Amino acid sequence: MANQLCIVLDFGGQYNQLIARRVRECGVYCEIKSYQTPLEEIKALAPDGIIFTGGPNSVYDESSPHIYKEIFELGIPILGICYGCQLMAYTLGGEVSSCVKSEYGKIEINQTGGLLFKDVPQKNVVWMSHTDFVSKLPEGFKVTAATDDCPCAAFENPEKKLYSVQFHPEVTHSEYGKQILHNFLYEVCGFKGDWVMDDFIDTTVAKLREQIGDKKVILGLSGGVDSSVAAGLLSRAVGKQLTCVFVDQGLMRKDEGDFVEQTFTKLFDMNFVRVNCKEQFLKALKGVTDPEQKRKIIGTEFYNVFWDKIREEGDGGFFAQGTIYPDRIESGKGNKSGNGSTATIKTHHNMVERPADIQFDGVIEPLGDLFKDEVRAVGEKLGIPHDLVWRQPFPGPGLGVRILGEITEDKIKVLQEADAVFRDEIRKSGIEDQLKQFFAVLPDVRTVGVMGDHRTYDHLIAIRAITTDDFMTADWARIPFDILAKVSNRLTNEVEHVNRVVYDITSKPPGTVEWE
């Protein structure tokens, strides 16, 4: 039986995926659709609830995204957030005006009741981000929350099951945001909470067995979270019919290739093929210093090796990918969102175009409906080791983008050793769970140093650690000085050719998480 469905209609808001994730965290299956989705398609999907996202536009601008009035007559509960709140009021005959005083950041609201605010204190802090506000409510609506500068911070028409909030309940800065979303889903929409990972595994395995039958499956295994969990699901479904091809280009972290091989050969019933091709990559990268050129070469060589191995193994059967839901949305291959443009935002390494001479019966994406946190939950339930399931984001080109300048075998070794020392010290310190990402970088810099009685002229190592909720913005982590001192001492004493250590204290923006 299909899960109950909540639809998030996207009006170009930066938090569209975050809203969907929060809904799923409440035990409700959710999909993101464009605001341009035809009414008949929405009817056919039969959602039990709809959420309008925020967006950067003004509803009174004719070129801004708008919505057909008929959606409010379907009898389906609707929650409007920020721009979605203003759009509901505007479409139903209310008025939206420019703020005399805009609200940004944490703001205290005073709520006066209603299902949306069940178990929420009368005064609580929410996250605001708006320059327009609802200045006149549509007929049949009443205000349920206000701030000093926003008279309609929330309003509702309970008879028609229409609710709106000017703030963002989906962000962690809204104290009771999750409770408010939970109230909409359970108190207003009547969801039962049938989105459970155990059910997902059983249902997906059954579907995979039916779809694959007695045919074989080929999966490119990077050692990352997504492809690893996809491999675990496919292995549980079809066992030895699955062949995982692991391309080890020599740009992984220290001992990581061996760890991946040992994990999948011992844990799962599958054919595991490891291709060691470091020399091929080093040859192709010789003399190259431009970061974009390095990325292109690494990507091209990776798939050259991968497809050559597939030709050896023989094509046919199914081709599996570790594509997850955000990949499909951001690549323009999922549902159109925002302003409705189908332009690709970015190309993902796990959404691969196949050469014309290689034929498969179809493509399988067992994780195509999941967010990253859900993928991790599935991985844990499949018994994949914690270190792999909670592996931090790692760039597709591997250490190739953490070695500035030309990539050489000697530099790879220095960075692998330095990164291993840094990671080991962070684990020992007990602060690992506080950091979303931490790693070492090898800039193309040599510095003067003194070791013993000798002058040295050797590598500088930069270390980077960040905290973030969503990776759209990030702050540098305030690692205690005593821990940094231990890291620096170990790096300069244990890693050959390192005589200086610096700590990157740049936030995002203006910097990025990676250096290249």
Side-chain angles (χ1 to χ4, degrees), residues 420-460:
V421 166
F422 182 33
R423 300 180 73 78
D424 180 58
E425 202 57 51
I426 290 296
R427 288 191 187 98
K428 289 178 179 176
S429 71
I431 66 169
E432 183 177 6
D433 290 342
Q434 301 171 30
L435 310 177
K436 279 299 177 80
Q437 201 168 356
F438 56 95
F439 53 89
V441 177
L442 186 67
D444 197 16
V445 174
R446 304 268 180 150
T447 73
V448 175
V450 178
M451 290 187 171
D453 295 323
H454 301 283
R455 174 186 182 274
T456 62
Y457 190 65
D458 245 324
H459 287 292
L460 173 150

Side-chain angles (χ1 to χ4, degrees), residues 169-206:
E170 70 274 18
V171 302
T172 55
H173 304 296
S174 291
E175 286 181 314
Y176 291 87
K178 189 169 182 179
Q179 181 64 45
I180 291 168
L181 286 174
H182 187 278
N183 288 339
F184 173 71
L185 296 168
Y186 286 85
E187 302 296 330
V188 177
C189 302
F191 281 101
K192 304 300 182 186
D194 61 0
W195 180 241
V196 182
M197 286 299 102
D198 284 333
D199 295 342
F200 170 83
I201 293 172
D202 293 340
T203 302
T204 302
V205 166

Side-chain angles (χ1 to χ4, degrees), residues 9-25:
L9 284 187
D10 179 23
F11 292 89
Q14 62 175 319
Y15 298 130
N16 59 356
Q17 292 186 33
L18 186 57
I19 294 170
R21 282 174 53 199
R22 294 289 183 255
V23 170
R24 292 193 185 185
E25 286 171 7

Side-chain angles (χ1 to χ4, degrees), residues 81-96:
I81 295 175
C82 197
Y83 179 85
C85 153
Q86 297 164 13
L87 183 66
M88 182 184 292
Y90 184 82
T91 306
L92 294 175
E95 294 180 6
V96 177

Side-chain angles (χ1 to χ4, degrees), residues 69-284:
K69 192 173 182 179
E70 292 79 6
I71 195 169
F72 299 104
E73 298 168 3
L74 296 177
I76 300 171
I78 299 176
L79 172 64
I81 295 175
C82 197
Y83 179 85
C85 153
Q86 297 164 13
L87 183 66
M88 182 184 292
Y90 184 82
T91 306
L92 294 175
E95 294 180 6
V96 177
S97 307
S98 180
C99 294
V100 175
K101 182 179 179 182
S102 300
E103 291 181 309
Y104 292 101
K106 294 181 178 181
I107 304 289
E108 185 178 73
I109 65 167
N110 185 2
Q111 63 90 1
T112 55
L115 287 179
L116 215 56
F117 293 103
K118 180 182 178 183
D119 298 325
V120 175
Q122 180 183 351
K123 292 184 182 294
N124 62 95
V125 173
V126 299
W127 183 261
M128 289 279 199
S129 180
H130 67 106
T131 56
D132 293 336
F133 77 108
V134 175
S135 51
K136 179 183 176 183
L137 290 178
E139 186 177 345
F141 283 79
K142 64 179 181 180
V143 172
T144 55
T147 73
D148 291 342
D149 297 301
C150 183
C152 297
F155 53 90
E156 65 178 33
N157 184 330
E159 290 76 22
K160 293 188 175 181
K161 299 181 180 179
L162 302 178
Y163 295 78
S164 279
V165 293
Q166 182 59 67
F167 54 88
H168 288 274
E170 70 274 18
V171 302
T172 55
H173 304 296
S174 291
E175 286 181 314
Y176 291 87
K178 189 169 182 179
Q179 181 64 45
I180 291 168
L181 286 174
H182 187 278
N183 288 339
F184 173 71
L185 296 168
Y186 286 85
E187 302 296 330
V188 177
C189 302
F191 281 101
K192 304 300 182 186
D194 61 0
W195 180 241
V196 182
M197 286 299 102
D198 284 333
D199 295 342
F200 170 83
I201 293 172
D202 293 340
T203 302
T204 302
V205 166
K207 286 180 180 177
L208 288 170
R209 284 175 180 156
E210 182 179 357
Q211 180 181 3
I212 296 166
D214 60 358
K215 295 180 179 179
K216 67 179 183 180
V217 185
I218 298 286
L219 171 70
L221 183 66
S222 68
V225 179
D226 303 334
S227 64
S228 297
V229 175
L233 275 172
L234 285 161
S235 172
R236 180 171 289 193
V238 296
K240 290 289 188 184
Q241 291 169 238
L242 170 66
T243 296
C244 287
V245 178
F246 172 49
V247 177
D248 187 348
Q249 84 288 55
L251 295 170
M252 301 185 76
R253 289 175 286 213
K254 184 180 179 182
D255 299 330
E256 202 159 36
D258 293 340
F259 172 65
V260 171
E261 181 174 5
Q262 290 166 10
T263 297
F264 285 93
T265 53
K266 291 180 180 178
L267 193 61
F268 296 110
D269 183 29
M270 65 169 70
N271 295 312
F272 185 91
V273 179
R274 180 176 180 177
V275 186
N276 294 306
C277 49
K278 179 170 69 173
E279 297 305 320
Q280 179 176 334
F281 276 75
L282 286 174
K283 183 178 179 181

Side-chain angles (χ1 to χ4, degrees), residues 300-319:
T300 299
E301 288 302 314
F302 180 92
Y303 287 115
N304 284 341
V305 171
F306 179 77
W307 293 122
D308 283 347
K309 179 52 72 171
I310 297 305
R311 291 183 180 99
E312 287 180 24
E313 296 289 322
D315 56 5
F318 290 93
F319 177 60

